[in-house]
Amino acid sequence: MPVKGATWRQVRFLYCILVFATDLKSSADNLDCALPLCHRPLVAESPHSDGEGHRCSEGHCRINILSAPVTSTPVMVEIREHDSLQFRQTLRHVDPVKGAAGSLTHRVDQLEGSLLTLQTRLQQFRDDSGQKLKIMENKMTSILGILLAVLTGKKLPCQAEPTTCISLLKSRRLTTLDMNTDLLKLLKTIGLLGSSVEQTEKEDNTFPRDCSEIYKQGIHDNGIYTIQPNPQREPFEAFCDMVTEGGGWTVFQRRQDGAVDFNRTWQEYRQGFGMLQGEHWLGNEALHALTKDGQNVLRIELEDWHGVKRHATYRRFRIAPEAHRYRLTAREYQGDAGNALSYSKHYNHDGRQFSTADSDNDNYPSGSCAAYYGAGWWFDACLAANLNGKYHRGRYTGLTNGIYWGTWYILTDKKTNQKFSFKKVEMKTRMLHT
């Protein structure tokens, strides 16, 4: 007989779920139906049924009632969870089935109660998890404080907020790219940095302007640091000389072993090339950003193959923007290497535009100095200095295309007519100390 408000197929579907959920292995009810969600009866029976039981006929599903007497079966259900949350369902009895409708209604009520209990416990679990996450975040903040204290050598008050640590980290100019960037990535990964911090990073000048700013923060070790001369542009790495003549020098050119070819295109000189640890050109865009504000000093250091070292310093140094072809300003010479950048009227590099083989901006009307000498430089017509020339290992003959400084104490061997190149050259800049 059909149950009011439901088909037998629906009753049978709910019955299978309820019997499976309560795991009543001694239940008097048994299904043997070929419908998809009830693959086998919960109570085993002989494959050959007698007259007291009924098999499923095609298209129908009937309840099999076993001939054995059914009694109330006590069931103890125990749910084990975290030590702080122990729950135990009390001993209850499962009443004998008194008809499909009554049994189904009773089981639906039980299921509803179980769902409500489960929902309550789930909420308790969420609350407990939230507290644990807060404790974990506090521990991570403490770890961050310890980490920054180790990196800076000073205790930082980071107990309140992780963002405070980041602010202090930046104010102390802990600026190596690997350390700073990787630390920020770590903090973002574990969720300790949010949009407010990222917005602050966009608005503020995150990194120091140049190596002299880093030096003023008490960092006096040579190395590669991250600087940001223009707060509107991306920061970049540079090698900082923190030892020579008061420290704080941003190195923008180095020659030492001939590992890098300096006969490059306009775009390559614009962006920079080489390796900061070795031979490199930092880039004309970086040079312009470093020298466009304030009064800047240029220092050139030379070393020949006899171990002789000399230097030239220009107290007024500036590189114009690309629109003016990175024009050079180098004045107020001091030093012992001679003022080759202002050698004479026709060989004066001060005030000249930058040239490369693919961008001729020199004062030589009959050709390209950059193409002829194989280097990017501030050529006149053509040169009294060319520190980006070809790296010759000691003496060489032929075209004067080596690393050249026209006021050096010896440029050629008069006996052999061989020319001398340089073993090492560095060009660096910093703000003028007042």
Side-chain angles (χ1 to χ4, degrees):
M1 184 178 68
V3 179
K4 184 178 181 181
T7 66
W8 273 113
R9 184 180 295 268
Q10 292 171 330
V11 171
R12 175 246 167 226
F13 173 71
L14 289 174
Y15 181 82
C16 289
I17 294 177
L18 292 172
V19 172
F20 178 80
T22 54
D23 195 19
L24 301 178
K25 294 184 179 180
S26 300
S27 172
D29 300 324
N30 179 38
L31 294 181
D32 187 10
C33 309
L35 296 178
L37 293 178
C38 186
H39 300 292
R40 61 181 179 82
L42 297 179
V43 179
E45 68 170 344
S46 171
H48 302 286
S49 176
D50 55 19
E52 297 176 338
H54 303 280
R55 303 292 297 170
C56 292
S57 60
E58 184 176 357
H60 298 83
C61 182
R62 298 181 180 179
I63 298 178
N64 292 332
I65 301 178
L66 299 181
S67 57
V70 179
T71 59
S72 294
T73 306
V75 178
M76 174 70 75
V77 179
E78 180 178 351
I79 300 177
R80 299 177 181 268
E81 294 193 8
H82 192 273
D83 293 340
S84 61
L85 294 175
Q86 292 185 354
F87 302 95
R88 175 170 301 202
Q89 186 171 326
T90 57
L91 184 67
R92 59 183 176 84
H93 292 273
V94 178
D95 296 329
V97 175
K98 298 179 180 179
S103 175
L104 183 60
T105 301
H106 177 67
R107 295 176 186 274
V108 168
D109 291 339
Q110 286 183 325
L111 181 59
E112 288 178 351
S114 299
L115 289 176
L116 290 175
T117 302
L118 183 60
Q119 184 176 10
T120 302
R121 292 171 182 172
L122 180 59
Q123 185 61 43
Q124 291 174 341
F125 175 76
R126 288 175 177 172
D127 295 340
D128 185 58
S129 298
Q131 294 176 356
K132 291 179 180 179
L133 288 175
K134 185 63 177 178
I135 294 173
M136 184 181 298
E137 181 178 339
N138 292 337
K139 290 182 179 180
M140 290 300 298
T141 304
S142 300
I143 293 172
L144 175 60
I146 296 172
L147 174 61
L148 296 183
V150 171
L151 295 178
T152 60
K154 298 180 180 180
K155 183 178 180 180
L156 301 180
C158 301
Q159 289 77 10
E161 291 291 339
T163 53
T164 304
C165 294
I166 298 303
S167 176
L168 289 169
L169 172 67
K170 296 185 181 305
S171 67
R172 294 181 184 276
R173 305 305 187 191
L174 203 62
T175 52
T176 60
L177 183 66
D178 291 341
M179 181 161 50
N180 205 355
T181 303
D182 290 348
L183 180 57
L184 292 176
K185 287 181 180 179
L186 172 63
L187 296 176
K188 290 177 182 177
T189 301
I190 62 178
L192 292 181
L193 287 184
S195 58
S196 60
V197 176
E198 293 174 358
Q199 183 65 27
T200 302
E201 289 178 1
K202 295 178 181 178
E203 293 175 355
D204 296 340
N205 188 355
T206 305
F207 297 96
R209 178 188 180 278
D210 59 11
C211 295
S212 63
E213 249 188 54
I214 298 174
Y215 186 88
K216 292 176 183 178
Q217 297 296 325
I219 300 175
H220 299 162
D221 295 326
N222 288 349
I224 298 173
Y225 296 85
T226 304
I227 60 176
Q228 190 174 17
N230 186 349
Q232 306 303 320
R233 299 290 183 89
E234 290 295 318
F236 55 87
E237 288 184 303
F239 189 93
C240 294
D241 178 352
M242 300 299 200
V243 177
T244 303
E245 199 64 28
W249 298 96
T250 303
V251 178
F252 65 86
Q253 186 252 37
R254 181 187 291 127
R255 312 294 301 278
Q256 64 183 22
D257 54 18
V260 175
D261 183 5
F262 274 64
N263 188 9
R264 301 291 185 120
T265 65
W266 179 268
Q267 182 63 22
E268 287 175 303
Y269 268 101
R270 180 184 186 275
Q271 295 300 121
F273 54 86
M275 301 293 292
L276 294 176
Q277 299 91 335
E279 295 200 332
H280 71 277
W281 182 262
L282 188 59
N284 288 339
E285 276 297 300
L287 265 177
H288 166 63
L290 283 165
T291 62
K292 70 183 182 68
D293 298 322
Q295 186 173 348
N296 299 274
V297 181
L298 167 64
R299 181 179 175 88
I300 297 171
E301 297 175 354
L302 303 164
E303 180 182 345
D304 67 13
W305 290 87
H306 301 289
V308 178
K309 299 179 182 180
R310 294 190 177 184
H311 74 277
T313 301
Y314 296 85
R315 289 171 60 85
R316 291 183 61 190
F317 173 57
R318 180 168 295 183
I319 300 299
E322 186 175 19
H324 296 282
R325 316 310 288 169
Y326 301 117
R327 184 179 63 249
L328 170 68
T329 299
R331 300 170 187 172
E332 300 184 16
Y333 163 80
Q334 295 176 342
D336 58 3
N339 184 8
L341 293 183
S342 296
Y343 187 82
S344 68
K345 181 179 179 180
H346 298 290
Y347 299 100
N348 184 15
H349 300 278
D350 174 42
R352 300 298 178 255
Q353 296 178 335
F354 199 84
S355 291
T356 57
D358 62 340
S359 181
D360 184 9
N361 304 301
D362 60 40
N363 287 346
Y364 184 58
S366 302
S368 167
C369 297
Y372 190 69
Y373 289 101
W377 189 250
W378 297 276
F379 290 104
D380 191 358
C382 279
L383 61 88
N386 177 18
L387 300 183
N388 288 339
K390 185 175 181 180
Y391 192 91
H392 291 287
R393 298 184 182 277
R395 302 178 185 184
Y396 68 100
T397 58
L399 181 66
T400 308
N401 64 349
I403 303 173
Y404 186 77
W405 191 257
T407 55
W408 191 251
Y409 74 101
I410 180 171
L411 294 171
T412 61
D413 186 332
K414 294 182 179 180
K415 293 182 179 180
T416 62
N417 203 32
Q418 290 180 321
K419 303 176 178 67
F420 288 93
S421 186
F422 288 89
K423 183 177 182 179
K424 293 182 180 180
V425 178
E426 273 193 6
M427 302 179 71
K428 56 194 74 175
T429 184
R430 74 178 179 197
M431 288 279 246
L432 180 65
H433 292 167
T434 56

